[in-house]
Amino acid sequence: MRHVNQWLLWAALIALLVVAAAFCVSVWQATPSMPLYRNIILGGAVVLMLVFGCGLIALMFYSRRKGYDEPARSDRIRRK
């Protein structure tokens, strides 16, 4: 029964992906093309987004490996 549910889930997800892609293509073809300067601005924004996203993920991995994400603890002996 589990395999049937997984196949149904995958089929539903693929169907949603196909419908979303078809909708995107139909909207894309229905709209007029953008001027060149808008394409350049859009491309620059995409590049900046990728640079910042990759940089933030790199910082996350760096801080994890250096131990900055460990919980705070003290080496001192507690007073009674």
Side-chain angles (χ1 to χ4, degrees), residues 6 9 14 22 24 43 52 60 67 70:
Q6 285 181 345
L9 176 65
I14 290 172
C24 288
F52 283 128
M60 182 185 69
E70 297 297 323

Side-chain angles (χ1 to χ4, degrees), residues 17-52:
L17 179 65
V18 168
V19 169
F23 177 74
C24 288
V25 168
S26 69
V27 169
W28 183 25
Q29 290 176 347
T31 57
S33 63
M34 292 193 306
L36 180 62
Y37 73 92
R38 287 188 181 175
N39 285 332
I40 292 171
I41 292 172
L42 183 63
V46 167
V47 168
L48 284 175
M49 179 189 64
L50 285 172
V51 167
F52 283 128

